[in-house]
Amino acid sequence: MNNPRICLASPRLLLACLPLHVQTPAFATMLSSSDFASASWELVVRVDRADEEEQKEVTLRVSGDLHIGGVMLKLVEQINIPQDWSDFALWWEQKHCWLLKTHWTLDKCGVQADAKLLFTPQHKMLRLRLPNMKTVRLRVSFSAVVFRAVGDICRALNIRRAEELSLLKLSDECFKKKKKKEKNNKEPVIEDILNLEVSPTISGSPVNPGLYSKTMTPMYDPVSGTPASSTMTWFGDSPLTEQNCSILAFSQPPQSPEALADIYQPRSLVDKAKLNAGWLDSSRSLMEQGIREDEQLLLRFKYYSFFDLNPKYDAVRINQLYEQARWAILLEEIDCTEEEMLIFAALQYHISKLSLSTETQDFTNESEVDEVEAALSNLEVTLEGGKADSALEDITDIPKLADNLKLFRPKKLILKAFKQYWFVFKDTSIAYFKNKELEQGEPVEKLNLRGCEVVPDVNVAGRKFGIKLLIPVADGMNEVYLRCDHESQYAQWMAACILASKGKTMADSSYQPEVLKILSFLRMKNRNSAPQLASGLENMDMNPECFVSPRCAKKHKSKQLAARILEAHQNVSQMPLVEAKLRFIQAWQSLPEFGLTYYLVRFKGSKKDDILGVSYNRLIRIDANTGIPITTWRFTNMKQWNVNWEIRQVAIEFDQNVSIAFTCLSADCKIVHEYIGGYIFLSTRSKDQNETLDEDLFHKLTGGQE
C-alpha cells in the first residue's frame, strides 16, 4: 500500500484496492434515496420577459444529472405564466455561452450552484444599417452563429448569396466622432427606421420567403428592377411590402454636399485598417460577441466576390451593392482618377434621375429568355442537326491573338521606354518575339498568366491603352506593362488577360461578353463634345457636388463640374436603370484597388509595421508609409495556413518553399484568418449547388481550430 503509483489512481480504484474489512459502509449506501436527495442543490435563474421591466429571479432545486431541458421545464412550471416559451433558452453569463444542448446534464455542462443563468428569448430586435444608409429594425437570432443569422437576415430582406455579406460593428472612434457632430448640430437628427418587427427570422425553421425564390421564376423586372407582377402575391405573407421593397431595391436620393462632408472619411491606409477591425466572428453568436438587444450594426458585402448577379432575382442585392460601391467612391475609400470619378458621377446622376422619375418603367422585358428555355432551345437545335448558339459551340479549337504591342519592364534598367515586339497570346500564356517572321522560333520570353494580377492602365482622353501585369514568381511578383494602339486591340487583349488569370482561355463563352464590357466602359470614358449643353446649364436640375467626393468638388467650380458630368452623361443617358447600376458595379470592379481590405500587421522578422491587403485572390504586403506594394502572394499558390492562438500569429505556406508569418495589430488575427478562409470557401461555389452551401466547410476553413 506504500506504492507511490497508487496516489495517481481514481478514488474508485483506491476503494477497490482496500481490504473488505477496511471499506466503510458509507460508500455502500452512497446511492440511497436519502443521500440522493441531499446531493441536490439550489440554482437561481433570472427570467427575461418583455412585459416586465425588471428580471425576475426563480430558485430551482436541481441535481447534477438533470438535463438542460429538464431545468427549463421546471422553470416554466414554477413561473406558471401561460405564454409561448419555445424561443427561450438558457444563457450562462460567467461563461458567456448559450446552453442549447438540452440533452446535456448540468454536470456535463459544468453548471454548479454559483452559476448565473438567464432565461431569455433567443431572437431579439436588432437595428441594421444597410449599404444604402437605410436602417431596418428586425428580429434576429442572438443564439445562432453569425453566418447563419446573416443568412436569415438576407432571406428576410430578399438578398441572395448571403455568404458574401456579414455584420460590422463600428469602432468607438467612429461613434465619438458621430456624437461630436450631432452635438454641434442645433437640430437633433431623427433617423428614419424601416421597422420589420413582424419578421421573426428563426434559424432552422420555415421563414416567410418575401420575394426570395429558389425557382427559375423571375422575381423582378430585369430592366426597371420593379417586382414582377406574377410575384405580387408574395407581398401578403412577407414583411417586405411593395413599398418597403422599393426602398431596398431603389436608390435613395443623393446626400447634400454638407451631409457628405460630415460623414467620416478614412484618409490613410492605417485609418482604413482600423475600420476593418469591427467584423464579427462568423463562427460565434451575436450574444457571445457582446452585441446587445436593439444595438446598431452595419450589414455590408464583406467578400468582394459577387457570384451569379441576375437582374431577374437580385434587384435588392444589385441596388445594395451599387450603394456600397457608390459610398466607397464618394468617401474615397478606394482611389480613382478624375476621369473615372466623372464617369461614376454621370452614372449616379442617371440612376438618381431614373429612380426619382414617376415614369419608371413597369414592364417585363420580353427579350429576356429564361435560362432553362435557352438551354432547351440549344439542345433541340443541336439534336435536329442545326447550329446552336456560339456559347455552346465546340471549344476544342482554342483561338489565339497575334499582333504588334509595346512592352516595358520598370525594374529592368535596359528597357527605359516601351519597345515594340510581336506578341502571340494562346491558351493562358503570352509569348513575344522580335518580329512577326520569328514567330515559329524561340520567343524572347514566355509569360504564363495563370494566377497573375491584371490592372488596367488607361487614359482615353490621352489615347493611352495600357495593361499592367503582375506575374507571380517565388519571391513575389514580376511587373510587366503592355501598351496597345487602340480601343479594339486593348479590349481583346485585356479580356484575354483577365480570363487567363483565372485559368480560362479565349474559347470560354465569357470571352466575347468580356470584350464588349470593356469596350462599353471605354465608350463611357470617351468625352463627347456637347456644345448644346452650355445653354441649358442655368436650368440644370442637379447639384454636382452630390455626385463626387468632397476633395474632387473643391478642385472645380460648380458650373464647370456640372458641365463635365453632363458631358459624360451623354454616353450613358440611354441605359435602363438596372443596367446602369450593373455598369457602375463593373466600373468599380475595374479599379486597381478594388476588393482590397486592409489590416495593420507586423511580419515575422520585421522591425516595422506594414499593411496587409486581403483580396479575393491574393495577399499584398504594402509599405504603411508610402502605400507602395512590396510583395504579392496568390491564393492559388497557397498550400496551407494556420493560426498560433497562443501568440496570435497567422502562418501561411506557399509553393516553392515560400512561407510568411505575421501578427495582427489593428484587429484580432481571427478576422484576417476568416477573410482568407472565406475567400477560399467562396471559390468553391458553382451554379449546380442550387444556392445551398456547405456550412461545415465554411467553419472548417475559417475557424482555425481555435
Side-chain angles (χ1 to χ4, degrees), residues 384-404:
E384 291 175 357
K387 185 178 179 182
D389 289 346
S390 58
L392 296 177
E393 64 188 11
D394 182 29
I395 61 171
T396 54
D397 182 22
I398 298 176
K400 75 173 186 177
L401 288 174
D403 211 340
N404 283 311

Side-chain angles (χ1 to χ4, degrees), residues 336-587:
C336 65
T337 64
E338 188 172 300
E339 185 182 42
E340 290 163 338
M341 180 69 76
L342 291 173
I343 294 171
F344 287 122
L347 284 167
Q348 287 180 71
Y349 173 61
H350 183 63
I351 291 166
S352 179
K353 279 183 65 177
L354 291 181
S355 298
L356 295 174
S357 173
T358 55
E359 300 175 359
T360 303
Q361 299 145 318
D362 189 13
F363 57 86
T364 55
N365 188 350
E366 295 184 5
S367 65
E368 292 283 339
V369 183
D370 190 277
E371 292 95 326
V372 173
E373 292 178 8
L376 289 173
S377 299
N378 275 319
L379 179 62
E380 184 179 352
V381 170
T382 306
L383 290 174
E384 291 175 357
K387 185 178 179 182
D389 289 346
S390 58
L392 296 177
E393 64 188 11
D394 182 29
I395 61 171
T396 54
D397 182 22
I398 298 176
K400 75 173 186 177
L401 288 174
D403 211 340
N404 283 311
L405 300 178
K406 293 172 183 173
L407 177 139
F408 170 55
R409 284 182 176 275
K411 291 184 180 180
K412 288 191 176 182
L413 299 176
I414 303 171
L415 295 172
K416 293 184 178 179
F418 282 93
K419 188 175 180 180
Q420 184 167 294
Y421 291 94
W422 177 258
F423 281 80
V424 176
F425 198 130
K426 187 154 188 181
D427 293 328
T428 59
S429 299
I430 292 180
Y432 61 93
F433 308 81
K434 287 187 176 181
N435 52 54
K436 183 178 180 181
E437 288 70 26
L438 298 175
E439 181 182 335
Q440 302 305 322
E442 281 293 316
V444 176
E445 188 179 11
K446 188 173 183 179
L447 307 173
N448 183 7
L449 302 191
R450 187 185 291 267
C452 81
E453 186 178 344
V454 185
V455 181
D457 183 25
V458 175
N459 185 332
V460 177
R463 306 302 296 167
K464 172 186 172 186
F465 303 101
I467 302 171
K468 179 182 175 182
L469 299 173
L470 295 171
I471 302 169
V473 292
D475 58 344
M477 289 291 205
N478 274 345
E479 197 170 345
V480 177
Y481 285 84
L482 304 181
R483 181 69 61 84
C484 301
D485 294 328
H486 48 79
E487 293 97 327
S488 178
Q489 187 187 52
Y490 168 79
Q492 290 178 331
W493 285 80
M494 184 67 177
C497 290
I498 290 172
L499 264 65
S501 69
K502 301 174 182 177
K504 298 178 181 179
T505 69
M506 286 176 282
D508 192 87
S509 60
S510 61
Y511 174 67
Q512 285 301 329
E514 187 70 34
V515 172
L516 294 174
K517 185 177 82 172
I518 294 169
L519 284 172
S520 175
F521 187 47
L522 291 177
R523 288 192 200 102
M524 286 194 294
K525 284 189 173 186
N526 188 20
R527 296 172 57 186
N528 294 327
S529 57
Q532 72 274 12
L533 294 174
S535 61
L537 289 178
E538 298 295 332
N539 300 319
M540 281 185 317
D541 58 339
M542 73 180 296
N543 188 349
E545 291 82 5
C546 297
F547 302 109
V548 296
S549 69
R551 187 165 59 90
C552 181
K554 289 177 182 177
K555 291 182 179 179
H556 306 279
K557 292 181 179 179
S558 184
K559 285 187 178 180
Q560 181 190 18
L561 189 60
R564 295 188 66 182
I565 292 174
L566 289 174
E567 188 180 344
H569 178 250
Q570 299 304 301
N571 295 321
V572 300
S573 59
Q574 301 304 313
M575 282 186 189
L577 180 59
V578 176
E579 184 185 344
K581 290 179 182 178
L582 288 172
R583 289 294 177 87
F584 193 100
I585 294 168
Q586 289 167 359

Side-chain angles (χ1 to χ4, degrees), residues 50-105:
D51 55 352
E52 293 182 357
E53 291 185 6
E54 293 186 3
Q55 295 172 347
K56 181 181 178 183
E57 287 191 353
V58 178
T59 303
L60 303 174
R61 178 155 287 277
V62 297
S63 58
D65 60 353
L66 181 64
H67 51 73
I68 299 298
V71 173
M72 293 195 292
L73 182 61
K74 275 192 169 189
L75 195 58
V76 170
E77 289 175 349
Q78 193 158 327
I79 296 170
N80 196 24
I81 297 176
Q83 73 167 65
D84 183 4
W85 297 96
S86 60
D87 189 42
F88 278 66
L90 290 172
W91 167 257
W92 192 354
E93 293 184 9
Q94 294 109 316
K95 298 284 187 180
H96 224 63
C97 68
W98 289 93
L99 301 178
L100 298 176
K101 295 181 178 178
T102 54
H103 61 286
W104 279 25
T105 64

Side-chain angles (χ1 to χ4, degrees), residues 638-643 650-653 673 676-677 680 701-702:
M638 187 186 296
K639 293 171 67 177
Q640 67 174 7
W641 76 102
N642 56 69
V643 179
V650 180
I652 308 174
E653 290 184 23
H673 182 274
I676 297 170
I680 292 172
L701 289 171
T702 60

